[in-house]
Amino acid sequence: MRAVIISGGTVTDYEILKSQVRGGDTIICADSGYNHAVKMGLAVDIVVGDFDSIGEMPRGVKCLKFPARKDLTDTEIAIEYARGQGYRDFLFLAATGCRLDHTLTNILQLNGFLQRGETAVLVDEFNKIMLTDSMLELCEPAGSIVSLVPLTPCGGVTTTGLEYPLLNAELQVGKGLGVSNVMAAENATVTVKRGRLLVIVARD
């Protein structure tokens, strides 16, 4: 059981995002994320937020409206709604874009999911973004770009299946040692003994 949360970020290729959605997913839109869902031809289960971006509540769809003056972003409201329904597996679409403040906030949300033992992935047309503090298995086409970006100082970072292997490496915040590695085959692993590590599968 997975919640797909669609935010109001930048989208140029709807087919890539739509391909990430599985049958049985629950589609939760944060405000203008509803417009993206419509363009992907998705059946929306609920729209939440203050509706300042979409303009008005869509008809024929369940909606929960919140005041514009609030402490949570619309995406955070969608997360809290999904958690209240018992979801622990999340996919985020259209959660990145021109608004760097929203993009960073949404990426850093991964920290809270990790603390709760939940699964969460952010996907846009160019990136798949995950966070780990232990071990992560990757299944991606050979040649895919994989970047390891420490959210905190990371120790004991070891990889298998990547073109440039790491063995008990130390990755520091703001240093590019883990950037632009490459999948040598279709399967790889990333292990970290200390710290929290963003794992980004990217394409140019």
Side-chain angles (χ1 to χ4, degrees):
M1 189 169 69
R2 185 175 69 164
V4 177
I5 295 178
I6 305 176
S7 300
T10 303
V11 179
T12 57
D13 190 331
Y14 285 100
E15 288 305 313
I16 289 179
L17 296 192
K18 185 177 180 179
S19 70
Q20 302 297 313
V21 180
R22 305 189 300 240
D25 285 338
T26 295
I27 309 299
I28 303 171
C29 297
D31 203 329
S32 61
Y34 175 75
N35 293 333
H36 293 321
V38 169
K39 291 179 180 178
M40 285 186 273
L42 299 176
V44 175
D45 291 282
I46 188 169
V47 187
V48 303
D50 55 22
F51 296 89
D52 63 340
S53 299
I54 197 173
E56 60 182 22
M57 291 187 289
R59 297 178 180 178
V61 181
K62 182 179 180 181
C63 296
L64 289 178
K65 187 173 183 178
F66 291 78
R69 296 175 67 89
K70 58 189 187 305
D71 294 330
L72 300 178
T73 66
D74 291 331
T75 297
E76 287 176 306
I77 289 172
I79 293 168
E80 291 307 310
Y81 172 82
R83 282 183 176 144
Q85 299 301 305
Y87 290 92
R88 293 176 57 82
D89 187 9
F90 298 84
L91 170 66
F92 290 87
L93 303 177
T96 62
C98 300
R99 285 287 300 271
L100 188 58
D101 51 352
H102 283 283
T103 296
L104 286 173
T105 298
N106 289 337
I107 292 173
L108 293 176
Q109 290 273 2
L110 292 175
N111 193 56
F113 292 105
L114 190 64
Q115 289 176 331
R116 289 171 173 261
E118 299 165 338
T119 301
V121 181
L122 270 73
V123 176
D124 62 24
E125 295 102 311
F126 301 100
N127 306 281
K128 178 187 291 185
I129 308 170
M130 299 155 283
L131 182 67
T132 185
D133 60 359
S134 54
M135 195 271 282
L136 195 63
E137 296 181 352
L138 301 177
C139 183
E140 302 291 340
S144 298
I145 300 169
V146 177
S147 287
L148 309 179
V149 180
L151 191 61
T152 66
C154 292
V157 179
T158 298
T159 64
T160 66
L162 298 183
E163 187 171 334
Y164 309 105
L166 296 175
L167 180 60
N168 288 320
E170 300 287 326
L171 299 184
Q172 299 300 319
V173 176
K175 299 293 184 180
L177 177 60
V179 172
S180 293
N181 212 319
V182 180
M183 294 282 293
E186 292 186 351
N187 295 285
T189 63
V190 177
T191 304
V192 57
K193 293 180 180 178
R194 301 183 308 279
R196 299 191 171 192
L197 186 65
L198 286 167
V199 179
I200 303 172
V201 180
R203 69 181 184 90
D204 292 324

